[in-house]
Protein backbone atom coordinates (compact mmCIF):
# COMPACT_ATOMS: atom_id res chain seq x y z
CA UNK A 1 0.00 0.00 0.00
CA UNK A 2 2.81 2.39 0.97
CA UNK A 3 4.65 1.50 -2.25
CA UNK A 4 1.55 2.23 -4.30
CA UNK A 5 1.05 5.62 -2.61
CA UNK A 6 4.72 6.46 -3.14
CA UNK A 7 4.49 5.71 -6.85
CA UNK A 8 1.30 7.75 -7.15
CA UNK A 9 2.90 10.73 -5.37
CA UNK A 10 6.02 10.51 -7.56
CA UNK A 11 3.92 10.48 -10.71
CA UNK A 12 1.90 13.48 -9.48
CA UNK A 13 5.09 15.43 -8.77
CA UNK A 14 6.38 14.70 -12.26
CA UNK A 15 3.14 16.00 -13.75
CA UNK A 16 3.11 19.17 -11.68
CA UNK A 17 6.81 20.12 -11.71
CA UNK A 18 7.78 23.16 -13.81
CA UNK A 19 8.57 22.04 -17.35
CA UNK A 20 9.88 25.21 -18.98
CA UNK A 21 13.50 24.19 -18.70
CA UNK A 22 12.89 20.77 -20.22
CA UNK A 23 10.46 21.96 -22.93
CA UNK A 24 11.68 25.01 -24.81
CA UNK A 25 9.03 27.30 -26.23
CA UNK A 26 7.73 26.28 -29.66
CA UNK A 27 9.62 27.86 -32.56
CA UNK A 28 6.36 28.36 -34.41
CA UNK A 29 5.62 31.37 -32.20
CA UNK A 30 8.49 33.26 -33.84
CA UNK A 31 7.32 35.90 -36.31
CA UNK A 32 3.71 35.00 -35.61
CA UNK A 33 2.54 38.21 -34.06
CA UNK A 34 2.57 41.98 -34.03
CA UNK A 35 1.25 44.01 -31.11
CA UNK A 36 1.97 45.40 -27.65
CA UNK A 37 1.81 43.36 -24.45
CA UNK A 38 1.89 45.19 -21.10
CA UNK A 39 2.65 43.03 -18.08
CA UNK A 40 0.95 44.42 -14.96
CA UNK A 41 2.74 42.76 -12.04
CA UNK A 42 1.59 42.96 -8.42
CA UNK A 43 4.74 43.59 -6.36
CA UNK A 44 3.07 45.03 -3.27
CA UNK A 45 3.78 43.99 0.31
CA UNK A 46 1.20 41.20 0.18
CA UNK A 47 3.37 39.29 -2.30
CA UNK A 48 6.23 37.42 -0.65
CA UNK A 49 9.71 37.34 -2.13
CA UNK A 50 9.23 33.69 -3.07
CA UNK A 51 5.91 34.40 -4.77
CA UNK A 52 7.42 37.40 -6.55
CA UNK A 53 10.28 35.27 -7.88
CA UNK A 54 7.85 32.62 -9.14
CA UNK A 55 5.77 35.30 -10.88
CA UNK A 56 8.81 36.72 -12.66
CA UNK A 57 9.88 33.25 -13.80
CA UNK A 58 6.38 32.66 -15.13
CA UNK A 59 6.35 35.94 -17.09
CA UNK A 60 9.83 35.20 -18.42
CA UNK A 61 8.71 31.87 -19.89
CA UNK A 62 5.44 33.37 -21.10
CA UNK A 63 7.07 35.95 -23.40
CA UNK A 64 10.30 34.09 -24.25
CA UNK A 65 9.15 32.66 -27.64
CA UNK A 66 8.01 35.97 -29.16
CA UNK A 67 10.04 37.82 -31.75
CA UNK A 68 10.57 41.36 -30.48
CA UNK A 69 10.89 44.59 -32.40
CA UNK A 70 9.07 47.51 -33.93
CA UNK A 71 7.34 45.32 -36.53
CA UNK A 72 6.93 42.36 -34.17
CA UNK A 73 5.92 42.17 -30.50
CA UNK A 74 6.77 44.81 -27.91
CA UNK A 75 6.68 44.07 -24.17
CA UNK A 76 6.43 46.51 -21.25
CA UNK A 77 6.37 45.94 -17.48
CA UNK A 78 4.36 48.05 -15.04
CA UNK A 79 4.63 47.20 -11.33
CA UNK A 80 1.94 47.72 -8.70
CA UNK A 81 2.89 49.18 -5.32
CA UNK A 82 2.08 52.21 -3.23
CA UNK A 83 3.57 54.29 -6.03
CA UNK A 84 3.24 52.18 -9.22
CA UNK A 85 6.17 52.42 -11.58
CA UNK A 86 6.94 51.60 -15.20
CA UNK A 87 9.85 49.18 -15.02
CA UNK A 88 10.42 49.41 -18.79
CA UNK A 89 8.35 50.58 -21.74
CA UNK A 90 7.55 49.08 -25.11
CA UNK A 91 10.52 50.68 -26.88
CA UNK A 92 13.11 49.58 -24.31
CA UNK A 93 13.95 46.04 -25.45
CA UNK A 94 14.00 44.65 -28.98
CA UNK A 95 15.88 41.42 -28.18
CA UNK A 96 14.97 38.49 -25.95
CA UNK A 97 18.34 38.60 -24.21
CA UNK A 98 17.73 42.19 -23.11
CA UNK A 99 14.15 41.49 -22.06
CA UNK A 100 15.05 38.34 -20.13
CA UNK A 101 17.89 40.12 -18.39
CA UNK A 102 15.58 42.96 -17.34
CA UNK A 103 12.98 40.54 -15.96
CA UNK A 104 15.56 38.62 -13.93
CA UNK A 105 16.87 41.85 -12.39
CA UNK A 106 13.50 43.37 -11.54
CA UNK A 107 12.94 44.19 -7.85
CA UNK A 108 9.56 44.48 -6.08
CA UNK A 109 8.13 47.85 -5.07
CA UNK A 110 6.33 46.70 -1.90
CA UNK A 111 3.80 48.84 -0.07
CA UNK A 112 0.07 48.99 -0.80
CA UNK A 113 -1.69 47.36 -3.74
CA UNK A 114 -2.48 50.56 -5.66
CA UNK A 115 -3.78 48.83 -8.80
CA UNK A 116 -6.15 51.67 -9.68
CA UNK A 117 -3.29 54.17 -10.01
CA UNK A 118 -1.31 51.64 -12.05
CA UNK A 119 -4.25 51.26 -14.44
CA UNK A 120 -4.47 55.05 -14.75
CA UNK A 121 -0.80 55.14 -15.76
CA UNK A 122 -1.38 52.33 -18.26
CA UNK A 123 -4.36 54.10 -19.81
CA UNK A 124 -2.85 57.59 -20.02
CA UNK A 125 0.68 56.84 -21.13
CA UNK A 126 1.72 53.25 -21.72
CA UNK A 127 -1.20 51.82 -23.69
CA UNK A 128 -2.21 55.09 -25.33
CA UNK A 129 -1.77 54.93 -29.12
CA UNK A 130 0.47 57.55 -30.68
CA UNK A 131 2.57 58.39 -27.60
CA UNK A 132 6.35 58.28 -27.75
CA UNK A 133 6.55 55.10 -25.68
CA UNK A 134 2.95 54.01 -26.16
CA UNK A 135 1.07 51.53 -28.27
CA UNK A 136 1.19 51.67 -32.04
CA UNK A 137 -1.98 52.91 -33.66
CA UNK A 138 -4.02 50.16 -35.29
CA UNK A 139 -2.16 47.25 -33.68
CA UNK A 140 -3.65 45.02 -30.95
CA UNK A 141 -2.89 45.85 -27.32
CA UNK A 142 -2.93 43.35 -24.46
CA UNK A 143 -2.81 43.85 -20.69
CA UNK A 144 -1.73 40.76 -18.70
CA UNK A 145 -2.47 41.36 -15.01
CA UNK A 146 -0.66 39.03 -12.61
CA UNK A 147 -1.98 39.43 -9.04
CA UNK A 148 -2.22 37.59 -5.75
CA UNK A 149 -5.84 38.74 -5.53
CA UNK A 150 -5.42 40.56 -2.21
CA UNK A 151 -7.34 43.86 -2.07
CA UNK A 152 -6.80 44.97 -5.70
CA UNK A 153 -9.06 47.99 -5.20
CA UNK A 154 -11.94 49.28 -7.31
CA UNK A 155 -10.58 48.06 -10.67
CA UNK A 156 -13.84 47.32 -12.50
CA UNK A 157 -14.28 50.87 -13.84
CA UNK A 158 -10.64 51.45 -14.97
CA UNK A 159 -10.50 48.02 -16.60
CA UNK A 160 -13.75 48.72 -18.46
CA UNK A 161 -12.26 51.98 -19.81
CA UNK A 162 -9.24 50.09 -21.12
CA UNK A 163 -11.44 47.49 -22.82
CA UNK A 164 -13.53 50.26 -24.39
CA UNK A 165 -10.35 51.66 -25.92
CA UNK A 166 -9.58 48.29 -27.51
CA UNK A 167 -7.22 46.82 -24.92
CA UNK A 168 -7.63 43.08 -24.33
CA UNK A 169 -7.42 42.25 -20.61
CA UNK A 170 -6.15 38.87 -19.35
CA UNK A 171 -5.85 38.04 -15.64
CA UNK A 172 -3.84 35.47 -13.68
CA UNK A 173 -4.61 35.21 -9.96
CA UNK A 174 -2.31 33.22 -7.67
CA UNK A 175 -4.41 33.72 -4.52
CA UNK A 176 -8.02 33.63 -3.57
CA UNK A 177 -9.25 36.75 -5.37
CA UNK A 178 -12.88 37.60 -5.85
CA UNK A 179 -13.92 35.57 -8.85
CA UNK A 180 -16.95 37.77 -9.57
CA UNK A 181 -14.77 40.89 -9.71
CA UNK A 182 -12.05 39.33 -11.85
CA UNK A 183 -14.49 37.82 -14.35
CA UNK A 184 -15.93 41.31 -14.90
CA UNK A 185 -12.57 42.87 -15.74
CA UNK A 186 -11.27 40.33 -18.28
CA UNK A 187 -12.07 40.43 -21.97
CA UNK A 188 -14.35 37.69 -23.30
CA UNK A 189 -14.22 34.76 -23.53
CA UNK A 190 -13.69 34.47 -19.78
CA UNK A 191 -12.68 30.81 -19.94
CA UNK A 192 -9.68 31.72 -22.13
CA UNK A 193 -8.60 34.93 -20.41
CA UNK A 194 -9.04 34.33 -16.65
CA UNK A 195 -6.79 31.91 -14.72
CA UNK A 196 -6.61 30.85 -11.07
CA UNK A 197 -3.44 28.89 -10.33
CA UNK A 198 -1.30 27.91 -7.37
CA UNK A 199 1.97 29.84 -7.18
CA UNK A 200 4.00 26.61 -7.36
CA UNK A 201 2.18 25.27 -10.42
CA UNK A 202 2.04 28.33 -12.66
CA UNK A 203 3.84 26.55 -15.47
CA UNK A 204 0.76 24.46 -16.23
CA UNK A 205 -1.04 27.52 -17.64
CA UNK A 206 1.92 29.04 -19.52
CA UNK A 207 1.03 27.54 -22.89
CA UNK A 208 -2.70 28.25 -22.58
CA UNK A 209 -2.14 31.87 -21.61
CA UNK A 210 0.41 32.33 -24.38
CA UNK A 211 -2.04 30.87 -26.89
CA UNK A 212 -4.67 33.33 -25.67
CA UNK A 213 -2.25 36.20 -26.24
CA UNK A 214 -1.31 34.89 -29.68
CA UNK A 215 -4.98 34.65 -30.62
CA UNK A 216 -5.25 38.40 -29.99
CA UNK A 217 -2.00 39.65 -31.55
CA UNK A 218 -1.47 37.08 -34.31
CA UNK A 219 -0.41 39.01 -37.40
CA UNK A 220 -2.85 37.34 -39.74
CA UNK A 221 -2.61 40.03 -42.35
CA UNK A 222 -1.71 39.79 -45.98
CA UNK A 223 -0.70 42.84 -47.96
CA UNK A 224 -0.35 43.60 -51.66
CA UNK A 225 2.39 45.85 -53.03
CA UNK A 226 4.09 46.68 -56.34
CA UNK A 227 0.85 46.39 -58.27
CA UNK A 228 1.26 46.86 -62.02
CA UNK A 229 -0.93 46.23 -65.02
CA UNK A 230 -0.14 42.51 -65.10
CA UNK A 231 1.50 41.59 -61.79
CA UNK A 232 1.46 42.15 -58.02
CA UNK A 233 3.43 41.02 -54.96
CA UNK A 234 1.81 39.38 -51.94
CA UNK A 235 3.52 39.96 -48.59
CA UNK A 236 2.78 38.25 -45.28
CA UNK A 237 4.36 37.49 -41.93
CA UNK A 238 6.23 34.14 -42.05
CA UNK A 239 4.12 32.32 -39.47
CA UNK A 240 5.61 28.97 -40.50
CA UNK A 241 9.14 30.00 -39.58
CA UNK A 242 10.64 27.15 -37.56
CA UNK A 243 7.91 24.73 -38.63
CA UNK A 244 7.66 22.21 -41.41
CA UNK A 245 5.15 23.02 -44.09
CA UNK A 246 4.47 25.39 -46.97
CA UNK A 247 2.20 28.22 -48.09
CA UNK A 248 -0.50 27.65 -50.67
CA UNK A 249 -1.54 30.70 -52.68
CA UNK A 250 -4.58 30.90 -54.92
CA UNK A 251 -5.63 33.92 -56.93
CA UNK A 252 -8.34 34.63 -59.47
CA UNK A 253 -10.42 37.54 -60.79
CA UNK A 254 -13.47 38.33 -58.71
CA UNK A 255 -16.61 36.80 -60.29
CA UNK A 256 -17.56 40.01 -62.10
CA UNK A 257 -14.11 40.37 -63.61
CA UNK A 258 -13.90 37.21 -65.68
CA UNK A 259 -11.12 34.62 -65.47
CA UNK A 260 -7.50 35.13 -64.73
CA UNK A 261 -4.61 34.72 -67.10
CA UNK A 262 -1.94 32.06 -67.24
CA UNK A 263 1.38 31.84 -65.48
CA UNK A 264 0.52 29.84 -62.35
CA UNK A 265 1.82 26.46 -61.37
CA UNK A 266 -1.65 24.94 -61.39
CA UNK A 267 -5.30 25.72 -62.07
CA UNK A 268 -8.62 24.50 -60.80
CA UNK A 269 -12.08 25.56 -59.73
CA UNK A 270 -12.18 27.30 -56.37
CA UNK A 271 -15.40 27.74 -54.36
CA UNK A 272 -13.81 30.78 -52.67
CA UNK A 273 -13.67 32.60 -55.99
CA UNK A 274 -17.18 31.84 -57.08
CA UNK A 275 -16.24 28.91 -59.29
CA UNK A 276 -13.91 30.90 -61.53
CA UNK A 277 -10.61 29.56 -62.78
CA UNK A 278 -7.84 30.22 -60.27
CA UNK A 279 -4.08 29.97 -60.34
CA UNK A 280 -2.16 28.17 -57.62
CA UNK A 281 1.33 28.73 -56.24
CA UNK A 282 3.24 27.17 -53.36
CA UNK A 283 6.02 28.81 -51.37
CA UNK A 284 8.43 27.36 -48.82
CA UNK A 285 7.88 27.74 -45.07
CA UNK A 286 10.49 30.51 -44.74
CA UNK A 287 8.93 32.64 -47.49
CA UNK A 288 7.14 35.92 -46.85
CA UNK A 289 6.45 37.15 -50.41
CA UNK A 290 5.20 35.82 -53.73
CA UNK A 291 4.97 37.51 -57.12
CA UNK A 292 1.69 37.01 -58.97
CA UNK A 293 2.08 37.31 -62.74
CA UNK A 294 -0.06 36.91 -65.82
CA UNK A 295 -2.76 39.25 -64.51
CA UNK A 296 -5.11 41.33 -66.65
CA UNK A 297 -4.98 45.12 -66.58
CA UNK A 298 -7.66 47.06 -64.68
CA UNK A 299 -9.07 43.88 -63.12
CA UNK A 300 -10.01 43.07 -59.50
CA UNK A 301 -8.44 39.91 -58.07
CA UNK A 302 -8.86 37.93 -54.87
CA UNK A 303 -5.84 36.12 -53.46
CA UNK A 304 -5.85 33.62 -50.59
CA UNK A 305 -2.91 32.45 -48.50
CA UNK A 306 -3.13 29.18 -46.55
CA UNK A 307 -0.23 28.19 -44.25
CA UNK A 308 -0.11 24.36 -44.30
CA UNK A 309 1.62 22.55 -41.41
CA UNK A 310 1.07 19.29 -39.55
CA UNK A 311 2.39 20.91 -36.36
CA UNK A 312 -0.06 23.79 -36.01
CA UNK A 313 -3.31 25.04 -37.54
CA UNK A 314 -3.48 28.45 -39.20
CA UNK A 315 -6.29 30.47 -40.68
CA UNK A 316 -6.58 31.16 -44.40
CA UNK A 317 -5.98 34.82 -45.22
CA UNK A 318 -7.43 36.67 -48.21
CA UNK A 319 -7.02 40.05 -49.87
CA UNK A 320 -8.60 41.80 -52.85
CA UNK A 321 -6.75 44.19 -55.13
CA UNK A 322 -7.14 45.79 -58.56
CA UNK A 323 -4.43 45.88 -61.20
CA UNK A 324 -3.53 49.17 -62.82
CA UNK A 325 -5.10 50.16 -66.14
CA UNK A 326 -3.01 49.45 -69.20
CA UNK A 327 -1.03 52.49 -70.32
CA UNK A 328 0.11 52.13 -73.91
CA UNK A 329 3.27 53.96 -74.89
CA UNK A 330 3.60 56.77 -75.71
CA UNK A 331 1.69 58.33 -72.84
CA UNK A 332 3.95 61.38 -72.63
CA UNK A 333 5.78 63.29 -75.39
CA UNK A 334 8.12 66.16 -74.48
CA UNK A 335 10.48 68.54 -76.26
CA UNK A 336 13.97 69.69 -75.24
CA UNK A 337 17.19 71.13 -76.72
CA UNK A 338 15.25 73.30 -79.15
CA UNK A 339 17.41 75.32 -81.56
CA UNK A 340 16.99 77.15 -84.89
CA UNK A 341 17.53 73.99 -86.94
CA UNK A 342 16.99 71.05 -84.61
CA UNK A 343 14.91 69.84 -81.68
CA UNK A 344 14.96 66.74 -79.45
CA UNK A 345 11.71 64.83 -78.97
CA UNK A 346 11.32 62.36 -76.08
CA UNK A 347 8.51 59.95 -75.14
CA UNK A 348 7.55 57.35 -72.58
CA UNK A 349 7.01 55.04 -70.89
CA UNK A 350 9.33 52.58 -72.56
CA UNK A 351 7.65 49.21 -73.01
CA UNK A 352 10.23 47.06 -74.83
CA UNK A 353 8.34 43.88 -73.96
CA UNK A 354 5.28 44.99 -75.95
CA UNK A 355 6.53 47.63 -78.43
CA UNK A 356 8.35 46.65 -81.62
CA UNK A 357 9.36 50.15 -82.84
CA UNK A 358 8.57 53.86 -82.68
CA UNK A 359 7.65 55.84 -85.80
CA UNK A 360 8.14 59.63 -85.71
CA UNK A 361 6.54 61.91 -88.32
CA UNK A 362 7.07 65.67 -88.50
CA UNK A 363 6.19 68.51 -90.87
CA UNK A 364 6.11 72.31 -90.81
CA UNK A 365 2.70 73.85 -90.27
CA UNK A 366 0.42 74.52 -92.00
CA UNK A 367 1.33 72.37 -95.04
CA UNK A 368 5.02 71.52 -94.98
CA UNK A 369 6.69 68.46 -96.43
CA UNK A 370 6.21 65.31 -94.33
CA UNK A 371 9.35 63.69 -92.90
CA UNK A 372 9.58 60.43 -90.95
CA UNK A 373 12.08 58.41 -88.96
CA UNK A 374 11.85 54.97 -87.28
CA UNK A 375 13.74 54.07 -84.08
CA UNK A 376 14.05 50.91 -82.00
CA UNK A 377 11.81 49.85 -79.11
CA UNK A 378 14.45 50.66 -76.48
CA UNK A 379 14.95 54.24 -77.67
CA UNK A 380 12.95 56.98 -75.95
CA UNK A 381 14.16 60.08 -77.84
CA UNK A 382 15.48 61.29 -81.18
CA UNK A 383 16.99 64.51 -82.55
CA UNK A 384 15.13 66.02 -85.51
CA UNK A 385 17.60 67.92 -87.74
CA UNK A 386 17.57 70.25 -90.76
CA UNK A 387 14.52 72.16 -89.55
CA UNK A 388 13.61 75.70 -90.55
CA UNK A 389 14.27 78.45 -88.00
CA UNK A 390 11.34 80.19 -86.30
CA UNK A 391 8.88 77.58 -87.58
CA UNK A 392 6.13 75.53 -85.92
CA UNK A 393 6.22 71.78 -86.57
CA UNK A 394 3.72 69.07 -85.79
CA UNK A 395 5.50 65.97 -84.46
CA UNK A 396 3.67 62.65 -84.05
CA UNK A 397 5.19 59.71 -82.18
CA UNK A 398 3.56 56.34 -82.88
CA UNK A 399 4.28 53.11 -80.99
CA UNK A 400 3.80 49.90 -82.88
CA UNK A 401 2.86 47.20 -80.34
CA UNK A 402 3.48 43.50 -80.84
CA UNK A 403 -0.23 42.87 -80.32
CA UNK A 404 -0.97 44.83 -83.51
CA UNK A 405 -2.18 47.88 -81.62
CA UNK A 406 -0.76 51.27 -82.50
CA UNK A 407 -0.89 54.30 -80.25
CA UNK A 408 0.11 57.79 -81.36
CA UNK A 409 0.57 61.11 -79.61
CA UNK A 410 1.31 64.49 -81.23
CA UNK A 411 2.95 67.66 -80.02
CA UNK A 412 3.68 71.05 -81.58
CA UNK A 413 7.31 72.14 -81.67
CA UNK A 414 8.60 75.66 -82.34
CA UNK A 415 12.17 76.12 -83.53
CA UNK A 416 14.08 79.16 -82.35
CA UNK A 417 14.78 82.28 -84.35
CA UNK A 418 18.22 82.66 -85.91
CA UNK A 419 20.29 84.89 -83.68
CA UNK A 420 22.63 87.08 -85.83
CA UNK A 421 26.24 86.33 -85.18
CA UNK A 422 27.02 89.97 -85.85
CA UNK A 423 24.91 93.11 -85.44
CA UNK A 424 25.03 96.87 -84.88
CA UNK A 425 28.43 97.73 -86.36
CA UNK A 426 29.41 101.29 -85.39
CA UNK A 427 32.41 103.47 -86.25
CA UNK A 428 33.28 106.35 -83.92
CA UNK A 429 35.82 108.91 -85.21
CA UNK A 430 38.76 109.39 -82.87
CA UNK A 431 41.03 112.13 -84.21
CA UNK A 432 41.67 112.91 -87.86
CA UNK A 433 42.58 109.41 -89.05
CA UNK A 434 41.42 106.92 -86.38
CA UNK A 435 38.13 105.19 -85.58
CA UNK A 436 36.81 103.06 -82.72
CA UNK A 437 35.05 100.00 -84.17
CA UNK A 438 32.28 98.42 -82.03
CA UNK A 439 29.79 95.67 -82.79
CA UNK A 440 27.45 93.23 -81.10
CA UNK A 441 27.91 89.55 -81.65
CA UNK A 442 27.07 86.03 -80.44
CA UNK A 443 30.07 84.12 -79.15
CA UNK A 444 28.30 80.72 -79.32
CA UNK A 445 29.54 78.69 -82.29
CA UNK A 446 32.01 81.33 -83.49
CA UNK A 447 35.75 80.94 -83.88
CA UNK A 448 36.39 84.66 -84.16
CA UNK A 449 35.97 87.76 -86.38
CA UNK A 450 37.71 88.84 -89.56
CA UNK A 451 38.16 92.59 -89.89
CA UNK A 452 39.07 94.23 -93.22
CA UNK A 453 39.27 97.79 -94.47
CA UNK A 454 40.15 99.33 -97.79
CA UNK A 455 40.86 102.87 -98.88
CA UNK A 456 38.72 104.30 -101.68
CA UNK A 457 40.91 107.37 -102.39
CA UNK A 458 44.41 105.98 -101.99
CA UNK A 459 47.10 106.15 -104.70
CA UNK A 460 46.66 102.42 -105.17
CA UNK A 461 42.87 101.78 -105.54
CA UNK A 462 41.58 98.54 -104.01
CA UNK A 463 44.45 98.18 -101.56
CA UNK A 464 43.17 96.20 -98.54
CA UNK A 465 44.26 95.40 -95.01
CA UNK A 466 42.85 92.67 -92.78
CA UNK A 467 43.41 90.87 -89.50
CA UNK A 468 41.80 88.30 -87.19
CA UNK A 469 40.21 88.94 -83.78
CA UNK A 470 39.18 86.27 -81.24
CA UNK A 471 35.51 85.43 -80.64
CA UNK A 472 35.31 87.34 -77.36
CA UNK A 473 36.42 90.60 -79.03
CA UNK A 474 33.60 93.06 -79.72
CA UNK A 475 35.69 96.17 -80.45
CA UNK A 476 39.03 97.43 -81.80
CA UNK A 477 40.63 100.74 -82.80
CA UNK A 478 41.97 101.43 -86.29
CA UNK A 479 44.52 104.22 -86.84
CA UNK A 480 46.09 105.93 -89.83
CA UNK A 481 43.10 105.22 -92.04
CA UNK A 482 42.76 106.96 -95.40
CA UNK A 483 39.71 109.20 -95.97
CA UNK A 484 36.43 107.35 -96.68
CA UNK A 485 37.90 104.03 -95.61
CA UNK A 486 35.41 101.16 -95.72
CA UNK A 487 35.57 98.89 -92.66
CA UNK A 488 34.02 95.40 -92.66
CA UNK A 489 33.64 92.82 -89.85
CA UNK A 490 32.72 89.20 -90.65
CA UNK A 491 32.00 86.21 -88.29
CA UNK A 492 34.23 83.17 -88.69
CA UNK A 493 32.62 79.75 -88.18
CA UNK A 494 34.35 76.39 -88.01
CA UNK A 495 34.01 75.73 -91.73
CA UNK A 496 33.47 79.12 -93.36
CA UNK A 497 33.30 82.86 -92.98
CA UNK A 498 29.84 84.31 -92.52
CA UNK A 499 28.25 87.39 -94.03
CA UNK A 500 29.64 90.56 -92.47
CA UNK A 501 28.67 94.17 -91.88
CA UNK A 502 30.45 97.21 -93.37
CA UNK A 503 30.62 100.93 -92.58
CA UNK A 504 32.55 103.85 -94.16
CA UNK A 505 34.77 106.11 -92.03
CA UNK A 506 34.72 109.81 -92.97
CA UNK A 507 37.76 112.02 -92.22
CA UNK A 508 38.66 115.60 -93.08
CA UNK A 509 42.38 114.92 -93.37
CA UNK A 510 44.18 113.31 -96.27
CA UNK A 511 46.31 110.76 -94.46
CA UNK A 512 48.51 108.59 -96.63
CA UNK A 513 49.91 106.31 -93.96
CA UNK A 514 47.59 103.82 -92.31
CA UNK A 515 47.58 100.91 -89.88
CA UNK A 516 45.62 99.49 -86.97
CA UNK A 517 45.76 99.19 -83.19
CA UNK A 518 43.66 96.67 -81.31
Amino acid sequence: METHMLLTWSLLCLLLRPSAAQNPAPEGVLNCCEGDVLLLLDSSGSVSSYEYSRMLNFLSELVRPFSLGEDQVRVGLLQVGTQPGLEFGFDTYSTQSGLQGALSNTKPLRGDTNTVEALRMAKESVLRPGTADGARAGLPRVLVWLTDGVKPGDVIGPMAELREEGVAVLVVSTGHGNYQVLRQVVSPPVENNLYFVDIDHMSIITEDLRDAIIEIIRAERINVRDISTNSATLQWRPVLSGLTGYYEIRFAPVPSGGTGGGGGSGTGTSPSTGGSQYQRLTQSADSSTARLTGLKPDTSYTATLTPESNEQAFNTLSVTFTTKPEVLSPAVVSVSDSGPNSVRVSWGPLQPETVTSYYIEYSALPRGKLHAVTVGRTQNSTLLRDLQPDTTYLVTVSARHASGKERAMSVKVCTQEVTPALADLQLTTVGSDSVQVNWKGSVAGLRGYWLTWEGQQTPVPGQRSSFYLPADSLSTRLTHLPPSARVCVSPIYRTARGEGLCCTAQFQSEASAYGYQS
Side-chain angles (χ1 to χ4, degrees):
M1 182 66 176
E2 292 181 356
T3 303
H4 177 71
M5 292 182 61
L6 180 62
L7 289 175
T8 303
W9 175 251
S10 300
L11 179 60
L12 181 62
C13 290
L14 286 174
L15 291 174
L16 295 180
R17 66 184 299 182
S19 58
Q22 290 81 8
N23 299 314
E27 293 184 359
V29 177
L30 293 173
N31 296 309
C32 73
C33 306
E34 185 176 11
D36 295 314
V37 179
L38 179 63
L39 307 175
L40 182 62
L41 176 61
D42 186 353
S43 65
S44 62
S46 63
V47 178
S48 68
S49 297
Y50 173 77
E51 291 173 329
Y52 185 76
S53 174
R54 298 292 296 171
M55 288 180 176
L56 283 179
N57 289 336
F58 170 74
L59 292 178
S60 175
E61 292 305 314
L62 178 70
V63 300
R64 187 184 300 275
F66 291 109
S67 298
L68 305 181
E70 182 62 29
D71 59 345
Q72 304 270 359
V73 177
R74 300 192 306 180
V75 178
L77 176 61
L78 178 61
Q79 294 208 88
V80 178
T82 303
Q83 294 293 329
L86 182 65
E87 193 69 26
F88 52 84
F90 292 135
D91 290 333
T92 307
Y93 298 105
S94 59
T95 64
Q96 276 291 343
S97 60
L99 176 61
Q100 294 297 326
L103 288 172
S104 64
N105 293 323
T106 299
K107 305 301 180 185
L109 298 181
R110 300 306 181 192
D112 296 333
T113 309
N114 195 354
T115 310
V116 174
E117 176 62 19
L119 292 176
R120 185 193 64 79
M121 292 179 58
K123 177 177 180 293
E124 294 182 358
S125 59
V126 186
L127 290 169
R128 186 176 181 182
T131 57
D133 193 39
R136 292 161 289 182
L139 293 181
R141 295 166 289 164
V142 180
L143 175 69
V144 179
W145 180 25
L146 189 54
T147 177
D148 65 353
V150 178
K151 297 181 180 180
D154 188 9
V155 297
I156 294 178
M159 285 292 193
E161 293 178 0
L162 284 174
R163 295 197 309 274
E164 289 174 359
E165 293 190 2
V167 178
V169 178
L170 288 71
V171 177
V172 176
S173 177
T174 62
H176 302 284
N178 189 321
Y179 174 77
Q180 295 301 326
V181 171
L182 296 183
R183 75 182 302 275
Q184 291 183 63
V185 303
V186 299
S187 299
V190 175
E191 60 273 16
N192 290 344
N193 297 337
L194 176 58
Y195 300 84
F196 287 87
V197 64
D198 184 78
I199 193 68
D200 288 320
H201 302 140
M202 296 187 72
S203 61
I204 65 176
I205 69 166
T206 302
E207 186 174 344
D208 290 339
L209 180 59
R210 185 188 300 128
D211 288 343
I213 296 174
I214 292 174
E215 188 67 24
I216 299 169
I217 65 173
R218 185 188 297 277
E220 292 190 333
R221 296 192 307 277
I222 184 171
N223 300 315
V224 185
R225 58 180 177 85
D226 300 335
I227 300 175
S228 68
T229 57
N230 56 10
S231 63
T233 297
L234 295 185
Q235 186 176 39
W236 63 89
R237 186 170 297 280
V239 295
L240 293 180
S241 178
L243 302 176
T244 59
Y246 61 92
Y247 297 98
E248 181 183 69
I249 302 160
R250 298 186 181 190
F251 58 100
V254 295
S256 60
T259 58
S265 59
T267 60
T269 301
S270 171
S272 63
T273 56
S276 63
Q277 289 296 113
Y278 67 84
Q279 298 177 69
R280 177 179 177 272
L281 299 173
T282 58
Q283 297 288 102
S284 61
D286 58 352
S287 300
S288 61
T289 62
R291 189 67 176 166
L292 311 183
T293 59
L295 309 182
K296 288 187 175 183
D298 197 20
T299 303
S300 295
Y301 281 83
T302 296
T304 61
L305 173 75
T306 304
E308 299 285 359
S309 175
N310 293 328
E311 302 177 43
Q312 191 172 338
F314 295 92
N315 294 329
T316 295
L317 308 179
S318 64
V319 66
T320 299
F321 63 94
T322 302
T323 53
K324 293 183 178 180
E326 185 175 21
V327 178
L328 294 178
S329 180
V332 177
V333 176
S334 59
V335 178
S336 61
D337 302 335
S338 178
N341 305 108
S342 65
V343 67
R344 179 166 292 278
V345 179
S346 304
W347 56 87
L350 277 180
Q351 296 175 331
E353 68 281 0
T354 61
V355 174
T356 59
S357 64
Y358 291 96
Y359 183 69
I360 300 92
E361 295 179 312
Y362 57 101
S363 62
L365 295 176
R367 290 182 294 274
K369 181 180 178 181
L370 182 65
H371 303 271
V373 61
T374 301
V375 300
R377 60 184 178 180
T378 60
Q379 189 169 330
N380 67 345
S381 71
T382 188
L383 185 65
L384 307 182
R385 305 176 186 271
D386 300 326
L387 306 182
Q388 300 174 18
D390 194 21
T391 302
T392 301
Y393 281 81
L394 180 65
V395 180
T396 301
V397 180
S398 302
R400 294 169 174 172
H401 291 260
S403 62
K405 296 180 180 179
E406 185 167 322
R407 177 181 172 87
M409 179 169 284
S410 299
V411 64
K412 288 184 178 180
V413 176
C414 296
T415 54
Q416 295 182 359
E417 297 182 20
V418 175
T419 302
L422 183 65
D424 198 17
L425 177 63
Q426 296 181 359
L427 302 182
T428 303
T429 302
V430 182
S432 60
D433 61 354
S434 301
V435 293
Q436 180 71 29
V437 185
N438 295 283
W439 64 91
K440 294 180 180 179
S442 173
V443 177
L446 293 184
R447 295 300 178 90
Y449 297 96
W450 191 256
L451 188 145
T452 63
W453 59 266
E454 61 180 353
Q456 298 180 358
Q457 300 177 5
T458 60
V460 184
Q463 187 173 6
R464 302 166 64 93
S465 182
S466 61
F467 57 91
Y468 167 82
L469 291 173
D472 57 355
S473 297
L474 297 177
S475 67
T476 189
R477 177 174 292 188
L478 302 178
T479 61
H480 305 298
L481 295 181
S484 302
R486 185 168 179 78
V487 179
C488 298
V489 179
S490 302
I492 301 175
Y493 299 100
R494 183 175 63 86
T495 58
R497 184 192 303 180
E499 184 177 353
L501 298 178
C502 298
C503 286
T504 300
Q506 300 291 340
F507 300 107
Q508 299 298 326
S509 62
E510 297 266 343
S512 59
Y514 47 86
Y516 76 90
Q517 179 183 350
S518 60

